[in-house]
Amino acid sequence: MLCSNCKKRPATHFTGDNENINGLCDECFERLGAAVEFSGGSPDMFPADEEETPVCPVCGLTFEEYRQTGLVGCAACYDAFRKELMPVIRGIHGKTTHEGKRPLGSGKMFELIEEQKRLRAELESAIREKRKQDADRLNRDIREISRMIGRGMGGEDGQ
């Protein structure tokens, strides 16, 4: 028989009469058992864990298990525990959106490198389509950006 409360672990503590037998696992009994025995009620009078804390539909991890380990079980846990995780993630990272990795240095350097990549792709296209004037212009722009990147990485004096 599974625990009447969490419905995950085997029941080891039983309450009720011959017609209505309810069982609690060790963990639920530790939390609810004394109150159940004292009141003479059944574990069903207490809300089940699934109602109180969400459960990941993919891996079955409960939020309580996440709180104990600090580890989610799969990517779907982020959706299942969204309401509970967002404040935690915001507290750790200061934001809740992923902005990707950037190379060390200033944001300007990253922008220059991205512009250089874009111009090189455009240059390849201009060469394939035999657009000589566009290719010359793009080549000049790429050289200028390369010089700017070189100055930025080696210091302002070009070292």
Side-chain angles (χ1 to χ4, degrees), residues 39-118:
S39 68
S42 73
D44 293 333
M45 67 190 288
F46 295 98
D49 283 348
E50 284 84 17
E51 295 172 18
E52 291 178 15
T53 60
V55 176
C56 176
V58 175
C59 69
L61 184 81
T62 64
F63 187 70
E64 186 60 36
E65 290 168 328
Y66 159 75
R67 288 183 58 202
Q68 290 172 0
T69 64
L71 301 171
V72 294
C74 68
C77 289
Y78 289 98
D79 290 328
F81 307 138
R82 182 171 198 78
K83 186 174 93 177
E84 294 84 3
L85 286 178
M86 284 302 121
V88 174
I89 292 170
R90 185 175 289 110
I92 293 170
H93 297 288
K95 56 189 168 209
T96 58
T97 56
H98 180 66
E99 295 177 2
K101 291 185 175 182
R102 291 190 172 195
L104 294 175
S106 71
K108 181 68 173 164
M109 182 65 69
F110 178 76
E111 291 171 13
L112 287 173
I113 292 169
E114 289 300 306
E115 177 68 6
Q116 184 183 42
K117 287 179 190 176
R118 187 189 66 73

Side-chain angles (χ1 to χ4, degrees), residues 121-133:
E122 198 175 323
L123 174 63
E124 286 179 28
S125 175
I127 291 171
R128 265 187 306 228
E129 296 170 5
K130 297 181 174 35
R131 293 182 287 137
K132 186 174 176 356
Q133 287 181 339

